[in-house]
Amino acid sequence: MRLLRLLPCSELSAVSGAALTPALTEAWPLACDSHRQNVEYMFGIVGIPVTEIAVAAQAAGIKYVGMRNEQAACYAASAVGYLTGRPGVCLVVSGPGFLHALAGMANATINCWPLIVIGGSSDRNQETMGAFQEFPQVEAGRLYNKLSVRPSSVEVIPAVIEKAVRTSIYGRPGSCYIDIPGDFVNLQVNKSSVKYVECCLPPPISMAEHSAVSKAASIIALSKQPLLIIGKGAAYSHAENNIRKMVDFCGLPFLPTPMAKGVVPDNHPNCVAAARSTALQHADVIILLGARLNWILHFGLPPRFQQDVKVIQIDICAEELGNNVRPAAILLGDINAVTKQLLEEFSKRSLKYPSNSEWWKRLRGKIKNNEERSKGLALQKSLPMNYYTVFHHIRELIPKDCILVSEGANTMDIGRTMLPNYYPRQRLDAGTFGTMGVGLGFAIAAAMVAKDRTPGKRVICIEGDSAFGFSGMEVETICRYNLPILIIVVNNNGIYTGLNANAWKEMLKFGDPATCVPPVSLLPNSHYEDIMSAFGGKGYFVKTPEELQNALKASLTDEQTPSLINVMIDPQSDRKKQEFPWLTRSNL
């Protein structure tokens, strides 16, 4: 725990490099107490009335990253919460700035990531008068946040910040909003009246009832076709060591959800990700470790699951237990602690699932078949390249310990199957909310955290061309802060599918693009790499496997310069045929 003293005004001015103003002096308690709560990173866009808060945050030791869009800033701050366990802060101006950040608040809360949003607002004495950018921000924030509050005075701001940080990380993590009226920033108060509070304690660790643990172990012992599903809640709780021990000790097949990849390495022999549909459809007992039976897992319902499948649900949130499917056993508690309890129970029973069972034979057969199909697609020589060829070459060259950020429909889904993860909390994607536009914000956050905690670790952001368009201007942010992020745009000229240049020209013969070009189409052969070059990074336009390999090698060798590789693929390239649609429609 690091407790900062309140700097004298002269020292504050020297640290910030800014002229000292009453507003800056009064913004200091807000910034100082954020750092007192072990908040290290702030992302945002400054303006009236929050500019002084950003300057004071830097002076207090918080790293401030100025972004180009509030959505991307909020995504970045939430990713910091997931990667570090302490919330990042998103700083926004009033009205439109606050509204732009709502997507990030919702994404963080639904993803269960801690986040603090601090928003400026209009002066209190101008409420209901049509003040500049006046908007009911506290009320609007309640729909998206665990806590939405305006401090009653400057003096209580430290207590409000402590409560917001504590609320964001206790129980099921999520977003919290703090509203700062413009007149607070300029209000002068006696420093001795400011009520500073200690840093909030780490979240309490809760454990499941012993009887529930015993019941779960008995159900697993009697199963014929068990499946362990690892969710990102397990990654967030740092449960990887105990989960790996359980997989090895019990011999259970496991399936990671997208951001849980790497909790147990993808190359572990018990990983059945390549036989996902078969594993889900035929398992008789499913152990959910921090995963939810939402759309990602098809609600736990037929036809993707057996009608009578027994579900053992382990979650930190009581309200989640029994959602969509009635569990055979419920274990309420911290994933890491409960996994340790299960391990202790298994050791008493010497529970070991046989590796030569019919269940394992079926799963391994499906894995082999699917891997051969993917390999066949990856080794195709035809041009333009397909997704599988692109990911094959990426996989061969990127570091095993890199942080992978991915978004886009086929780009994200195929990349998840083709690009393995070996370490936890090193894959960030669209997540539970299925949010597009998160990629560059997540990558910036990951690069900032990696620079401080694991210098030299590479961040590789793989985007579809449509996904890149949501926040492409953040390339300037990446270059401004000299973050050596490698962006790979898998460019198929469209959303899902696009048109090649000749087909585009033919379409235009029929008239206005607004009436004749398919809605999924984007401009063919767009040179996104020029955006990176324009801001001082390195850009590469590639069409062949050889050009892709050369661009990857050059980008990965240069550990100081941001890069963007624009990879042209067949506009009609698609994923291999799926047994079920990616989004199984529920009959509920």
Side-chain angles (χ1 to χ4, degrees):
M1 185 185 300
R2 184 183 179 194
L3 300 179
L4 297 184
R5 60 193 176 88
L6 191 63
L7 294 178
C9 291
S10 59
E11 196 172 341
L12 170 59
S13 182
V15 171
S16 68
L20 191 66
T21 65
L24 182 54
T25 304
E26 298 315 317
W28 179 249
L30 179 65
C32 179
D33 209 71
S34 294
H35 204 292
R36 188 187 300 268
Q37 298 299 326
N38 283 347
V39 170
E40 300 179 67
Y41 304 94
M42 181 180 287
F43 306 82
I45 298 178
V46 296
I48 298 171
V50 300
T51 302
E52 293 86 356
I53 295 173
V55 175
Q58 288 180 316
I62 295 173
K63 294 186 176 181
Y64 176 80
V65 178
M67 306 282 282
R68 301 304 301 266
N69 182 278
E70 288 91 354
Q71 276 193 21
C74 211
Y75 295 145
S78 68
V80 162
Y82 174 66
L83 293 169
T84 70
R86 301 295 288 192
V89 173
C90 178
L91 180 68
V92 298
V93 300
S94 52
F98 165 83
L99 288 170
H100 292 167
L102 287 178
M105 299 181 210
N107 190 64
T109 297
I110 291 175
N111 259 351
C112 306
W113 290 358
L115 166 70
I116 304 293
V117 178
I118 297 175
S121 61
S122 50
D123 292 3
R124 292 172 298 170
N125 63 359
Q126 296 176 351
E127 285 187 0
T128 73
M129 296 176 64
F132 175 67
Q133 296 184 335
E134 182 179 359
F135 191 76
Q137 294 171 190
V138 176
E139 293 87 343
R142 291 194 178 107
L143 291 173
Y144 305 87
N145 295 276
K146 293 181 71 179
L147 175 71
S148 184
V149 62
R150 172 187 285 184
S152 59
S153 67
V154 171
E155 290 86 346
V156 302
I157 285 176
V160 170
I161 290 176
E162 187 274 342
K163 181 176 178 63
V165 171
R166 177 162 40 89
T167 302
S168 76
I169 61 176
Y170 277 32
R172 173 179 279 179
S175 175
C176 292
Y177 174 66
I178 303 173
D179 193 71
I180 304 296
D183 55 305
F184 271 23
V185 181
N186 293 283
L187 189 65
Q188 296 190 45
V189 298
N190 191 324
K191 288 181 181 177
S192 63
S193 67
V194 178
K195 301 173 183 177
Y196 287 101
V197 294
E198 296 291 325
C199 180
C200 69
L201 296 172
I205 303 299
S206 55
M207 300 174 70
E209 295 179 356
H210 176 73
S211 59
V213 174
S214 179
K215 181 179 180 181
S218 297
I219 294 171
I220 296 169
L222 294 173
S223 66
K224 302 295 184 184
Q225 298 176 171
L227 177 65
L228 178 65
I229 299 180
I230 305 171
K232 71 174 178 290
Y236 181 80
S237 68
H238 290 247
E240 55 267 19
N241 289 336
N242 282 326
I243 292 177
R244 290 175 191 178
K245 288 178 184 177
M246 185 165 74
V247 168
D248 290 334
F249 182 83
C250 299
L252 294 170
F254 74 89
L255 174 69
T257 61
M259 274 188 275
K261 283 164 58 70
V263 169
V264 182
D266 283 347
N267 63 349
H268 191 285
N270 288 34
C271 181
V272 296
R276 184 180 190 272
S277 291
T278 298
L280 294 178
Q281 191 177 20
H282 298 286
D284 62 356
V285 170
I286 287 176
I287 306 102
L288 287 176
L289 277 174
R292 291 175 277 176
L293 291 176
N294 53 24
W295 68 274
I296 293 177
L297 288 175
H298 316 282
F299 315 109
L301 300 173
R304 296 303 297 265
F305 291 79
Q306 289 192 41
Q307 182 71 48
D308 58 350
V309 62
K310 291 183 172 64
V311 175
I312 297 168
Q313 198 168 5
I314 305 167
D315 204 285
I316 198 170
C317 178
E319 290 81 358
E320 186 62 35
L321 300 172
N323 200 29
N324 296 327
V325 173
R326 184 179 179 88
I330 56 175
L331 289 80
L332 176 64
D334 174 78
I335 303 300
N336 192 31
V338 175
T339 304
K340 186 175 181 181
Q341 288 181 278
L342 282 169
L343 266 172
E344 291 170 353
E345 186 69 24
F346 292 156
S347 66
K348 298 175 187 176
R349 304 169 181 240
S350 299
L351 193 157
K352 182 77 173 181
Y353 190 76
S355 61
N356 60 350
S357 66
E358 289 300 316
W359 178 228
W360 262 122
K361 290 177 183 177
R362 184 174 191 174
L363 291 172
R364 290 190 183 111
K366 192 66 175 179
I367 290 170
K368 182 179 180 181
N369 179 264
N370 284 342
E371 287 180 343
E372 287 176 351
R373 289 171 63 199
S374 294
K375 184 178 180 181
L377 290 167
L379 297 180
Q380 286 183 2
K381 302 295 185 181
S382 59
L383 294 177
M385 292 181 286
N386 63 46
Y387 284 103
Y388 293 86
T389 302
V390 170
F391 284 120
H392 168 74
H393 292 291
I394 293 173
R395 182 180 61 200
E396 294 298 305
L397 291 172
I398 61 174
K400 274 191 169 185
D401 66 343
C402 68
I403 297 176
L404 283 172
V405 181
S406 184
E407 63 171 331
N410 287 337
T411 298
M412 182 176 66
D413 291 343
I414 299 172
R416 182 176 68 245
T417 64
M418 292 287 292
L419 300 178
N421 289 85
Y422 304 96
Y423 303 96
R425 296 169 298 281
Q426 293 194 183
R427 189 179 197 278
L428 301 166
D429 67 19
T432 309
F433 210 23
T435 309
M436 289 295 105
V438 297
L440 295 191
F442 283 2
I444 289 167
M448 292 294 295
V449 172
K451 184 166 64 173
D452 292 341
R453 286 168 164 74
T454 51
K457 184 180 290 294
R458 297 305 301 265
V459 176
I460 298 175
C461 182
I462 304 175
E463 305 256 297
D465 50 332
S466 172
F468 177 76
F470 281 88
S471 54
M473 197 62 185
E474 298 303 335
V475 166
E476 187 273 336
T477 307
I478 291 170
C479 291
R480 182 167 16 113
Y481 290 94
N482 196 32
L483 300 173
I485 296 167
L486 167 57
I487 302 169
I488 302 172
V489 178
V490 184
N491 190 346
N492 71 344
N493 301 336
I495 304 169
Y496 303 116
T497 59
L499 298 173
N500 61 34
N502 290 332
W504 178 269
K505 291 177 182 177
E506 289 298 316
M507 284 288 180
L508 295 183
K509 292 178 180 178
F510 293 98
D512 189 332
T515 60
C516 64
V517 171
V520 296
S521 298
L522 300 174
L523 190 67
N525 303 332
S526 294
H527 283 264
Y528 299 113
E529 77 283 356
D530 288 344
I531 300 175
M532 179 65 81
S533 300
F535 295 117
K538 292 184 178 180
Y540 304 86
F541 185 78
V542 306
K543 292 184 174 181
T544 69
E546 294 74 23
E547 291 173 345
L548 175 58
Q549 290 173 343
N550 292 336
L552 284 167
K553 291 174 183 176
S555 300
L556 293 170
T557 301
D558 187 346
E559 298 181 359
Q560 305 300 321
T561 308
S563 302
L564 190 153
I565 304 174
N566 186 14
V567 186
M568 303 306 301
I569 67 168
D570 183 349
Q572 298 303 308
S573 178
D574 203 352
R575 62 187 303 178
K576 62 180 185 288
K577 185 175 175 58
Q578 303 297 299
E579 186 176 352
F580 292 98
W582 69 273
L583 182 59
T584 302
R585 299 295 179 185
S586 171
N587 293 321
L588 292 180

